[in-house]
Amino acid sequence: MSKILSASDLKASCAKVIEQVSKKRATFLVTKHGRPVARIVPLEQGERRSVHGFARGTVTVHGDIVSPVEVEWEAGR
């Protein structure tokens, strides 16, 4: 069962909420004006990923992206 928490209460106690989610595996339902808008849940084991390198292999460079182009920019005038 999720604990219900208003968005303003979450803002005031964010660090404590994150600690409870992390250490006690608690879940929170966040409300705004009495309506549910988000759920804060702990990650599953093995789901933790680093933000560094998460997009590796998803970008393709076509051509030279360093050399100047032969186009006169309006801002350069």
Side-chain angles (χ1 to χ4, degrees):
M1 174 95 180
S2 297
K3 298 175 185 175
I4 298 175
L5 185 67
S6 70
S8 58
D9 289 342
L10 173 62
K11 185 176 179 181
S13 60
C14 185
K16 290 179 183 178
V17 169
I18 291 173
E19 185 175 333
Q20 287 184 31
V21 171
S22 175
K23 294 190 173 156
K24 296 181 180 178
R25 313 277 304 152
T27 62
F28 290 85
L29 179 64
V30 182
T31 63
K32 195 165 189 178
H33 304 293
R35 293 188 349 225
V37 294
R39 185 178 313 274
I40 302 173
V41 299
L43 290 174
E44 298 297 326
Q45 294 298 76
E47 190 178 354
R48 299 171 193 224
R49 289 186 251 159
S50 171
V51 295
H52 302 290
F54 74 95
R56 184 178 298 131
T58 62
V59 176
T60 305
V61 177
H62 298 278
D64 184 359
I65 62 170
V66 178
S67 298
V69 292
E70 299 300 322
V71 175
E72 183 178 344
W73 291 73
E74 186 177 317
R77 293 186 213 161

